[in-house]
């Protein structure tokens, strides 16, 4: 029985399995011991850097022990040279990836701790922190790629020889990414803003939450985080509302009152509106400026200082509420624009011209005139006065087209009907349109 057990243990696959199991158990026990002991030691310090380092080393150490056990187990097996080289390179690559992430986290934590305790003359400060973080990430990533190529036994001489051509090709293919990268470096060097600043870019306002290699993250008032490429920020106009000797910001609330209002009364009413509003500073005190004579009223500005630029909309809204109520109680009118529109003519249209009536109207007028003349004329001259002339002493005028003028129409009901018919016919006539 014992000899059979010894023979089984001498089998390479059994030995590899035992080595793998022992490595897993050892990794688990060491992880528990590392977490308990080191975490207890880190808890005695005042800083959180050691806690971050312990948390960052926990996973790489665990996987490193397991990967070491796998590599030892594979060495016990009679593998072909190609399989052995491939498996060893794969294990080394996994270990490099795991340790790369841990090193980046540890270096970032160290830089952040240095920036928190930085002096005015220190190199690593809050505004230069993103630059050094980017630099460390690039260095660690480049070193990991180099070690990985060595793990696969790759000759990097040819790669270095062709680096110029590859660099040109990559430059053309990733010009936008390179533009964002260099813009990020310039942003960090010029320091137009830093983490936590409240900035405005065109119509976008928000707080800077991250400055990365490619983009900058801004958290808006709507709790929406927006990634803006660094090249856009580098070529744009940035307004840093928290820059300066302090984070206070002066806001202006425009007000317009009607002409004829008592400006002294308006000043006294407006100057009291900012007092008591949340986030409005007592010092400097609010001001009221008479800005200009507007088109519809007198233009005033209520100026006050606020603690946080992010709350500008809230403060302006509350002050507007108070201004409207205060002016209403004081009997001061707030003007609004009123416009009266007069249409003189329509473009492209010509005025209507009078036209002769239709033929049936002319005939009706002639019959009515003849009938009236026969009834009223005693001497046959058609004027009713026996002198052979018209009632006005003139001869009847008839146009070439047979249309009678107003002097042709006799008095009486028939003449009135004829005049009405003539007027209606001329009113409803449409003018001829020109092509």
């Amino acid at each position: 029985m014992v000899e059979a057990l010894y023979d089984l243990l001498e089998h390479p696959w059994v030995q590899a399995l035992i080595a793998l199991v022992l490595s897993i158990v050892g990794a688990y026990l060491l992880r528990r011991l590392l977490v308990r002991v080191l975490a207890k030691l880190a808890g005695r310090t005042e800083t959180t850097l050691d806690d971050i380092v312990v948390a960052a080393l926990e996973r790489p150490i665990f996987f490193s022990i397991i990967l070491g056990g796998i590599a030892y187990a594979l060495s016990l097996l009679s593998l072909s040279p190609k399989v052995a080289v491939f498996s060893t390179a794969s294990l080394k690559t996994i270990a490099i990836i795991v340790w790369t992430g841990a090193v980046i986290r540890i270096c970032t934590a160290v830089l952040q701790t240095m920036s928190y305790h930085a002096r005015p003359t220190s190199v690593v400060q809050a505004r230069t922190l993103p630059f050094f973080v980017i630099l460390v990430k690039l260095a660690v990533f480049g070193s990991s790629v180099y070690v990985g190529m060595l793990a696969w036994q790759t000759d990097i001489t040819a790669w270095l020889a062709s680096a110029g051509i590859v660099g040109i090709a990559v430059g053309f293919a990733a010009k936008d990414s390179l533009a964002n990268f260099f813009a990020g470096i310039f942003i960090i060097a010029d320091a137009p803003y830093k983490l936590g600043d409240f900035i405005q870019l065109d119509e976008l306002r928000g707080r800077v939450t991250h400055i990365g290699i490619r983009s900058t993250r801004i958290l808006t008032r709507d709790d929406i985080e927006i990634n803006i490429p660094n090249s856009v920020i580098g070529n744009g106009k940035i307004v840093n509302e928290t820059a300066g000797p302090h984070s206070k910001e002066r806001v202006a609330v425009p007000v317009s009152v009607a002409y004829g209002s008592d400006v002294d009364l308006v000043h006294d009413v407006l100057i009291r509106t900012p007092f008591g509003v949340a986030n409005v500073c007592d010092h400097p005190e609010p001001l009221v400026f008479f800005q200009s004579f507007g088109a519809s009223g007198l233009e005033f500005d209520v100026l006050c200082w606020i603690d946080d630029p992010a709350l500008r909309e809230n403060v302006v809204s509350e002050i507007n509420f108070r201004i409207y109520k205060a002016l209403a109680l004081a009997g001061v009118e707030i003007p609004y624009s009123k416009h009266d529109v007069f249409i003189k003519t329509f473009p492209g249209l010509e005025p209507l011209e009078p036209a002769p009536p239709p033929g049936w109207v002319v005939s009706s007028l002639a019959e009515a005139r003849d009938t009236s003349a026969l009834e009223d004329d005693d001497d046959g001259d058609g004027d009713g006065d026996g002198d052979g002339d018209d009632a006005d002493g003139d001869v009847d005028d008839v146009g070439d087209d047979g249309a009678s003028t107003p002097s042709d129409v006799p008095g009486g009901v028939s003449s009135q009907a004829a005049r009405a018919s003539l007027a209606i016919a001329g009113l409803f006539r449409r003018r001829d349109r020109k092509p």
Side-chain angles (χ1 to χ4, degrees):
M1 183 67 180
V2 176
E3 293 179 357
L5 183 60
Y6 284 155
D7 293 339
L8 182 63
L9 293 177
E10 291 179 357
H11 196 280
W13 287 96
V14 176
Q15 294 177 356
L17 181 60
I18 294 174
L20 180 61
V21 172
L22 291 178
S23 65
I24 293 175
V25 174
Y28 179 77
L29 293 177
L30 184 61
R31 182 179 182 180
R32 299 288 296 180
L33 180 63
L34 182 68
V35 170
R36 290 184 178 181
V37 176
L38 295 183
K40 185 178 295 185
L41 294 176
R44 297 177 181 177
T45 60
E46 298 179 355
T47 63
T48 59
L49 177 61
D50 45 6
D51 299 328
I52 298 175
V53 172
V54 171
L57 291 176
E58 177 183 354
R59 185 184 297 268
I61 293 176
F62 176 78
F63 282 104
S64 296
I65 296 174
I66 295 178
L67 292 175
I70 295 174
Y72 179 74
L74 292 176
S75 65
L76 298 176
L77 302 176
S78 299
L79 301 176
S80 62
K82 292 184 179 180
V83 175
V85 171
F86 178 79
S87 59
T88 304
S90 300
L91 294 176
K92 290 181 179 179
T93 303
I94 296 174
I96 290 171
I97 294 174
V98 173
W99 278 99
T100 298
V103 171
I104 289 177
R105 285 194 292 270
I106 292 174
C107 293
T108 303
V110 171
L111 292 174
Q112 289 178 349
T113 304
M114 293 175 63
S115 66
Y116 293 155
H117 301 85
R119 298 178 180 179
T121 57
S122 300
V123 177
V124 180
Q125 297 182 359
R127 69 180 185 87
T128 60
L129 175 63
F131 172 73
F132 286 102
V133 170
I134 294 173
L135 196 62
V136 166
K137 289 181 179 180
L138 291 177
V140 174
F141 181 76
S143 302
S144 301
V145 172
Y146 176 74
V147 175
M149 295 179 70
L150 293 179
W152 288 92
Q153 298 180 0
T154 303
D155 187 9
I156 63 174
T157 305
W159 291 87
L160 295 177
S162 60
I165 301 175
V166 174
I168 296 174
V170 171
F172 280 105
K175 59 180 181 180
D176 294 336
S177 300
L178 292 176
N180 293 327
F181 171 74
F182 286 109
I185 294 178
F186 294 148
I187 288 173
I188 295 172
D190 295 339
Y193 55 84
K194 61 182 182 296
L195 293 176
D197 284 355
F198 201 87
I199 67 173
Q200 179 177 353
L201 178 64
D202 295 333
E203 300 297 329
L204 180 64
R205 296 179 68 244
R207 194 175 298 280
V208 179
T209 58
H210 176 73
I211 303 175
I213 298 176
R214 191 192 67 85
S215 63
T216 298
R217 298 175 189 173
I218 296 178
L219 184 65
T220 65
R221 289 292 311 279
D222 299 326
D223 287 338
I224 299 175
E225 192 172 61
I226 301 177
N227 291 335
I228 304 177
N230 289 330
S231 60
V232 176
I233 298 179
N235 296 326
K237 178 182 178 182
I238 302 174
V239 179
N240 193 342
E241 299 185 18
T242 54
H246 47 73
S247 61
K248 295 181 181 180
E249 180 183 357
R250 192 178 74 172
V251 297
V253 182
V255 183
S256 180
V257 299
Y259 278 99
S261 303
D262 187 352
V263 293
D264 295 329
L265 175 62
V266 173
H267 179 274
D268 295 339
V269 171
L270 296 180
I271 197 64
R272 292 193 298 265
T273 53
F275 289 100
V277 178
N279 301 302
V280 174
C281 303
D282 296 332
H283 299 284
E285 296 182 353
L287 301 173
V288 174
F289 286 167
F290 188 171
Q291 293 290 359
S292 63
F293 298 91
S296 302
L298 307 176
E299 307 295 337
F300 289 83
D301 276 350
V302 179
L303 306 176
C304 60
W305 294 82
I306 60 176
D307 294 323
D308 189 357
L311 303 177
R312 184 177 66 183
E313 291 84 357
N314 299 9
V315 174
V316 171
S317 176
E318 180 63 25
I319 293 177
N320 280 329
F321 274 109
R322 296 193 174 196
I323 288 175
Y324 184 80
K325 295 178 181 178
L327 292 180
L329 291 177
V332 179
E333 180 184 359
I334 300 177
Y336 57 92
S337 60
K338 293 176 283 188
H339 303 280
D340 296 330
V341 180
F342 296 94
I343 302 176
K344 298 178 63 177
T345 181
F346 288 97
L349 296 180
E350 298 179 358
L352 298 177
E353 299 177 356
W360 64 271
V361 176
V362 177
S363 301
S364 300
L365 290 175
E367 293 177 0
R369 184 176 63 248
D370 294 341
T371 303
S372 177
L374 291 175
E375 293 177 355
D376 298 338
D377 190 11
D378 295 336
D379 53 5
D381 58 359
D383 58 359
D385 57 359
D387 57 0
D389 296 332
D390 293 338
D392 56 357
D394 298 329
V395 182
D396 293 343
D397 296 328
V398 181
D400 297 336
D401 55 357
S404 300
T405 60
S407 62
D408 299 326
V409 182
V413 178
S414 299
S415 62
Q416 295 176 359
R419 290 191 181 94
S421 300
L422 181 61
I424 293 172
L427 215 108
F428 283 92
R429 179 184 177 273
R430 294 182 179 178
R431 67 177 180 84
D432 296 335
R433 296 184 179 269
K434 296 180 180 181

